[in-house]
């Protein structure tokens, strides 16, 4: 297997800086032992104007077969002869990717002690791979590399040049060029995409391969248009690992978009009791008896409003740990229930709460849990009768509230939308809640009744809904209820006229 990386220099930046970045001196040829052969690094040319580093991998095919013990591609793919007669010594594959990460590990991490300023500087790069398996052909090669800023030339290799009628092989001669990438970015692209194009791994794909993929894909894989194909092929189509990787990539994408830490995005939302003081969990009645916890009263109010609306297909947006979804499942009238949350941790807890893995087929057909952010439009959420935003809006930064508004009322547009949120005026009734504090540390705001109503009326006016307001919990004559609920509705006749 053979790969070259070339760059050109300028008076202020000689091309031989490539040697510093790769941590390999241009004047020496070096050899490195690997578990499947020997990797050689040498420089066919090295002067201030142009420098080329070459990686030549000699694969010990016999040792590879013996180590594989007849299992997988490293052992016997189809027949005994194929163990020894194959393309492994010549065609770039996962073995070359492993050699890249081992021989150029510091360069791939963007570390250069001798010249600390070099790794972050984009440089003109040309990568050549004479024989690259490409299951998907030149078109797939372009789809994988071009979104990353590469100019791609992928020339198909004929099965036999003397017999053109035999057609093309599955190999291409690859040339990549870019002036906008750093060397570390280029190496990480190659590390992931070489085995993806080969669509095979020559070693056992263990769970730690997910971590390797995410490390190498940092900064480019979350937004790649072929993310799903890349992830599936890199992980040898192991469904459980692919799902884990896709979930973590979605978190990374959302974190990057929101300029937040992944841990912050993936914190499970608060339980529906919601109060830091515990005051919401038990309310005293005038007779001195304890009433139902506010979380239960809130769910009861939501269920009553949904029944009244006649909804059968319901979205729980910001479903958290699945308490409302669980309550909805107990009523046969709700034929389709979809819980949506940005936090995979919360969805995992919800799945356990609902016992999805043990649920009967008919019951399981009624419920879905989806990861998604309410700050973005999502075609999966269209066409439902009702949507619930229970104790959700107060967790959204005020500047982003308009995005949530459009995603729900403008794009998804269910006939009924229920929104509940704390009434900040009621906070004075809880002696255990310090003055000026919100009920939960993650609340970005808590509104008075008038503030909530002004927002809700404006939303209804912008999107053609009617809105009414209902108290949840004891309605104090001075400060109102602990929770306030807005019921948005749009008549079918209105919708038909608008259409």
């Amino acid at each position: 297997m053979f790969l070259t990386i070339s760059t050109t220099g300028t008076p202020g930046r000689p091309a031989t800086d490539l040697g510093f970045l790769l941590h390999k001196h241009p004047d020496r040829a070096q050899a490195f032992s690997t578990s499947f052969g020997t990797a050689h690094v040498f420089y066919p040319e090295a002067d201030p104007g142009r420098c080329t580093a070459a990686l030549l991998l000699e694969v010990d095919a016999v040792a590879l077969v013996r180590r594989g013990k007849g299992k997988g591609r490293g052992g016997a793919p189809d027949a005994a002869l194929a163990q020894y007669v194959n393309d492994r010594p010549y065609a770039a594959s996962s073995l070359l990717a492993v050699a890249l990460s081992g021989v150029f590990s510091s360069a791939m991490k963007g570390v250069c002690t001798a010249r600390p300023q070099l790794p972050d500087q984009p440089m003109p790069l040309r990568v050549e791979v004479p024989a690259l398996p490409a299951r998907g052909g030149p078109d797939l090669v372009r789809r994988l590399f071009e979104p990353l800023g590469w100019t791609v030339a992928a020339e198909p290799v004929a099965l036999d040049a003397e017999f053109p009628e035999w057609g093309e092989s599955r190999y291409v001669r690859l040339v990549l060029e870019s002036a906008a990438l750093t060397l570390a970015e280029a190496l990480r692209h190659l590390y992931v995409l070489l085995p993806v194009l080969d669509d095979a791994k020559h070693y056992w794909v263990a769970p730690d391969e997910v971590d390797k993929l995410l490390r190498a894909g940092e900064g480019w894989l979350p937004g790649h248009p072929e993310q799903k194909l890349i992830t599936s092929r890199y992980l040898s189509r192991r469904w459980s690992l692919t799902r884990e990787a896709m979930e973590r990539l979605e978190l990374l994408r959302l974190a990057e978009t929101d300029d937040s830490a992944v841990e912050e995005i993936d914190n499970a939302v608060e339980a529906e009791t919601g109060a830091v003081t515990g005051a919401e969990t038990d309310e005293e009645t005038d007779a001195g008896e304890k009433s139902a916890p506010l979380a239960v009263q809130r769910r009861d109010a939501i269920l009553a409003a949904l029944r009244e609306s006649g909804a059968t297909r319901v979205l729980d947006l910001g479903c958290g740990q699945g308490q409302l979804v669980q309550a909805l499942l107990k009523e046969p009238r709700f034929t389709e229930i979809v819980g949506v949350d940005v936090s995979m941790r919360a969805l995992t807890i919800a799945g356990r709460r609902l016992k999805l893995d043990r649920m009967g087929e008919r019951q399981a057909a009624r419920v879905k849990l989806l990861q998604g952010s309410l700050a973005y439009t999502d075609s999966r959420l269209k066409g439902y009768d009702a949507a619930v935003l229970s104790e959700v809006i107060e967790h959204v930064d005020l500047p982003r509230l308009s995005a949530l508004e459009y995603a729900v009322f403008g794009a998804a547009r269910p006939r009924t939308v229920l929104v509940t949120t704390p009434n900040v005026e009621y906070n004075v009734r809880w002696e255990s809640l310090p003055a000026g504090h919100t009920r939960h540390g993650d609340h970005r705001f808590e509104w008075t009744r008038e503030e909530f109503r002004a927002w809700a009326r404006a939303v209804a006016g912008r999107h053609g809904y009617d809105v009414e307001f209902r108290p949840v919990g004891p309605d104090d004559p001075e400060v109102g209820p602990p929770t306030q609920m807005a019921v948005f509705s749009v008549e079918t006749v209105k919708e038909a006229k608008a259409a």
Side-chain angles (χ1 to χ4, degrees), residues 116-345:
Q117 76 282 3
L118 286 181
D120 295 330
Q121 296 177 5
M123 59 194 305
L125 291 170
R126 179 182 173 93
V127 176
E128 297 184 54
V129 184
L132 173 66
R135 297 179 189 271
D139 177 63
L140 180 59
V141 179
R142 286 187 286 270
R143 281 161 42 206
L144 294 182
F145 282 101
E146 285 180 350
L148 302 175
W150 292 101
T151 299
V152 180
E155 179 186 346
V157 176
L159 276 172
D160 192 316
E162 295 186 10
F163 299 94
E165 64 273 15
W166 290 1
E168 297 169 352
S169 68
R170 67 185 183 93
Y171 303 93
V172 298
R173 183 175 293 107
L174 178 66
V175 178
L176 302 172
E177 292 186 294
S178 175
L181 296 170
T182 65
L183 180 63
E185 289 171 329
L187 291 173
R188 289 197 292 267
H189 297 167
L190 293 167
Y191 174 76
V192 173
L193 298 181
L194 291 181
V196 166
L197 284 164
D198 189 18
D199 197 15
K201 284 290 183 75
H202 294 76
Y203 54 86
W204 173 248
V205 177
D208 65 349
E209 289 292 301
V210 175
D211 294 324
K212 295 177 185 178
L213 173 63
L214 297 186
R215 281 197 301 269
E218 183 179 358
W220 63 270
L221 185 54
H224 198 291
E226 298 292 342
Q227 177 198 102
K228 187 173 182 180
L229 179 144
I230 293 169
T231 304
S232 176
R233 284 194 176 193
Y234 183 87
L235 297 170
S236 295
R237 292 185 171 83
R238 290 189 61 186
W239 179 81
S240 60
L241 297 184
T242 302
R243 183 182 64 177
E244 178 189 345
M246 293 296 292
E247 289 171 352
R248 290 170 62 180
L249 284 166
E250 176 63 10
L251 283 175
L252 287 168
R253 185 188 69 79
L254 293 170
E256 289 175 3
T257 304
D258 289 344
D259 196 23
S260 305
V262 170
E263 292 78 10
E264 181 182 342
I265 289 286
D266 196 34
N267 279 337
V269 296
E270 62 177 308
E272 287 189 8
T273 51
V276 294
T277 62
E280 287 194 8
T281 59
D282 292 299
E283 288 290 336
E284 296 286 342
T285 65
D286 291 338
E289 297 177 352
K290 287 187 176 182
S291 64
L294 182 56
V296 175
Q297 296 181 61
R298 190 159 51 228
R299 282 198 296 277
D300 288 346
I302 289 168
L303 290 169
L306 289 172
R307 295 187 202 106
E308 183 183 319
S309 74
T312 59
R313 303 173 67 241
V314 181
L315 298 167
D316 183 7
L317 304 178
C319 66
Q321 299 171 14
Q323 291 94 332
L324 178 59
V325 173
Q326 187 177 43
L328 290 166
L329 276 171
K330 293 177 181 177
E331 301 201 18
R333 74 174 65 236
F334 301 116
T335 58
E336 186 175 351
I337 305 151
V338 178
V340 182
D341 205 279
V342 72
S343 170
M344 277 311 305
R345 189 175 305 152

Side-chain angles (χ1 to χ4, degrees), residues 36-92:
F36 42 78
T38 303
H40 302 270
V41 178
F42 57 94
Y43 289 77
E45 55 184 342
D47 56 57
R50 182 176 175 84
C51 185
T52 297
L55 175 64
L56 173 65
L57 180 61
E58 287 186 294
V59 175
D60 186 341
V62 175
L64 193 63
V65 169
R66 288 173 177 167
R67 191 186 62 174
K69 296 180 181 179
K71 297 178 181 179
R73 177 135 182 221
D78 300 308
L81 182 62
Q83 297 183 28
Y84 301 99
V85 181
N86 50 57
D87 64 359
R88 282 195 290 270
Y90 316 106

Side-chain angles (χ1 to χ4, degrees), residues 247 249-260 265-266 269 316-319 339-344 347 369-381 389 392 395-397 400-408 411-412:
E247 289 171 352
L249 284 166
E250 176 63 10
L251 283 175
L252 287 168
R253 185 188 69 79
L254 293 170
E256 289 175 3
T257 304
D258 289 344
D259 196 23
S260 305
I265 289 286
D266 196 34
V269 296
D316 183 7
L317 304 178
C319 66
V340 182
D341 205 279
V342 72
S343 170
M344 277 311 305
L347 292 174
L369 298 178
L370 304 176
Q371 184 185 31
S373 170
L374 301 182
Y376 308 100
T377 58
D378 190 336
S379 60
R380 298 174 298 176
L381 308 185
L389 290 155
V392 169
H395 293 271
V396 179
D397 290 321
R400 300 187 65 83
L401 204 54
S402 60
L404 178 147
E405 173 193 329
Y406 179 75
V408 176

